[in-house]
């Protein structure tokens, strides 16, 4: 099944409630929440307070993408705010496995993300453990950047590995995704598509989502 996760970063922040229901009505599965600390990435977005406030207005699955230097320090506040899954960056911490285990101890699904320069081998040990692996298709930090198709090789390796292990792994891609390149993502093995600009900056997000679902149907994993 394909999950579509609009990234709130591209929303009109003067009307978050309206923007979220626009995505919900258009058929989104997750709400992707990009948390940036101005340290791990050169941009600042929003924190747990905003997440808690929007939580009161939707039942969508909150897919929290932590682009912060000390994810463990803030994990509890995002869990309390209503996160449904917490994903942190491999590059942000000294011991990703220890951080992963510590977050899982909180009994919340946990994902691990890799930036374009990080090799897929870094996250292979997480294939049987993580609830999701996020392969960035742009450098983390900003919305509206161009999709990097070369990152999809990592998705292919992960999907093959998961299939070999008999695991139904959620593989998420994030950055520059639109109706045109969705097919490349799904045929590489991704099943969670994050999309900011292509969904929020259109008046017809439902049409874009339908095109993405169609692409997934016509272009399943090709091995
Ligand atoms: C980038 C963020 C992405 C971004 C996606 O650092 O993690 O989630 O907001 O936005 P678009 O689809 O506009 O690239
Ligand atoms: Zn993101």
């Amino acid at each position: 099944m394909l999950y579509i996760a609009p990234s709130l970063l591209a929303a009109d922040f003067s009307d978050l409630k309206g923007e979220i229901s626009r995505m919900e009505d258009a058929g989104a599965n997750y709400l992707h929440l990009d948390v940036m600390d101005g340290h791990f990435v050169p941009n600042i977005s929003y924190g747990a307070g905003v997440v808690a406030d929007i939580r009161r207005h939707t039942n969508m699955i909150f897919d929290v993408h932590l682009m912060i230097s000390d994810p463990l320090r803030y994990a509890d506040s995002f869990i309390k705010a209503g996160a449904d899954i917490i994903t942190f960056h491999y590059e942000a911490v000294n011991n990703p496995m220890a951080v992963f285990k510590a977050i899982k101890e909180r009994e919340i699904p946990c994902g691990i993300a890799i930036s374009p320069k990080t090799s897929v081998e870094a996250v292979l040990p997480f294939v049987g453990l993580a609830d999701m692996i996020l392969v960035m298709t742009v450098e983390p930090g900003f919305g509206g950047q161009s999709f990097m198709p070369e990152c999809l090789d990592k998705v292919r390796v992960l999907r093959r590995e998961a299939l070999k292990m008999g695991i139904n792994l959620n593989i998420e891609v994030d950055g520059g995704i639109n109706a045109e390149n969705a097919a490349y993502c799904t045929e590489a093995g991704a099943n969670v598509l994050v999309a900011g600009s292509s969904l929020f900056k259109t008046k017809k997000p439902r049409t874009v989502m339908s095109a993405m679902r169609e692409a997934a149907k016509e272009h399943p994993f090709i091995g």
Side-chain angles (χ1 to χ4, degrees):
M1 147 123 194
L2 182 77
Y3 298 96
I4 297 178
S7 164
L8 194 65
L9 198 63
D12 174 354
F13 274 50
S14 69
D15 179 22
L16 284 182
K17 204 169 131 184
E19 288 283 77
I20 291 165
S21 56
R22 199 159 70 88
M23 290 303 133
E24 205 166 5
D25 295 346
N29 304 96
Y30 298 167
L31 188 64
H32 184 83
L33 299 170
D34 289 307
V35 178
M36 303 177 179
D37 63 354
H39 187 259
F40 176 65
V41 289
N43 194 9
I44 296 174
S45 58
Y46 49 80
V50 169
V51 176
D53 280 354
I54 61 175
R55 180 75 285 179
R56 290 185 281 114
H57 301 288
T58 176
N59 291 321
M60 276 171 106
I61 291 174
F62 278 8
D63 169 29
V64 174
H65 178 192
L66 296 181
M67 285 163 277
I68 64 177
S69 293
D70 193 351
L72 207 45
R73 179 168 172 198
Y74 296 98
D76 286 327
S77 61
F78 284 98
I79 293 168
K80 207 163 150 233
D84 293 297
I85 174 163
I86 301 261
T87 297
F88 69 95
H89 268 263
Y90 176 86
E91 304 83 8
V93 297
N94 290 327
N95 189 340
M97 189 56 83
V99 171
F100 173 79
K101 287 186 175 152
I103 293 176
K104 286 296 284 185
E105 262 167 35
R106 274 101 166 148
E107 295 187 343
I108 181 154
C110 183
I112 184 148
I114 46 173
S115 296
K117 288 188 196 71
T118 303
S119 79
V120 68
E121 281 72 32
V123 285
L124 284 178
F126 292 89
V127 170
L129 302 173
D131 297 280
M132 184 153 80
I133 297 184
L134 165 50
V135 175
M136 292 300 298
T137 46
V138 297
E139 285 296 339
F142 299 90
Q145 304 181 76
S146 300
F147 178 69
M148 298 166 69
E150 60 272 28
C151 298
L152 294 179
D153 288 340
K154 295 189 259 185
V155 174
R156 233 166 265 124
V157 170
L158 289 169
R159 180 57 71 204
R160 273 190 219 125
E161 186 66 14
L163 286 173
K164 224 191 289 164
M165 293 170 71
I167 293 160
N168 205 351
L169 178 68
N170 279 327
I171 304 178
E172 182 173 65
V173 282
D174 180 9
I177 291 161
N178 54 38
E180 286 72 47
N181 57 31
Y184 301 119
C185 301
T186 58
E187 68 183 17
N191 70 315
V192 186
L193 305 183
V194 175
S197 313
S198 69
L199 291 175
F200 279 102
K201 309 287 190 214
T202 172
K203 291 214 155 57
K204 296 187 167 169
R206 178 175 283 279
T207 309
V208 178
M209 285 187 211
S210 304
M212 287 173 171
R213 293 196 197 284
E214 196 58 32
K217 225 181 285 158
E218 307 231 319
H219 300 271
F221 179 54
I222 46 176

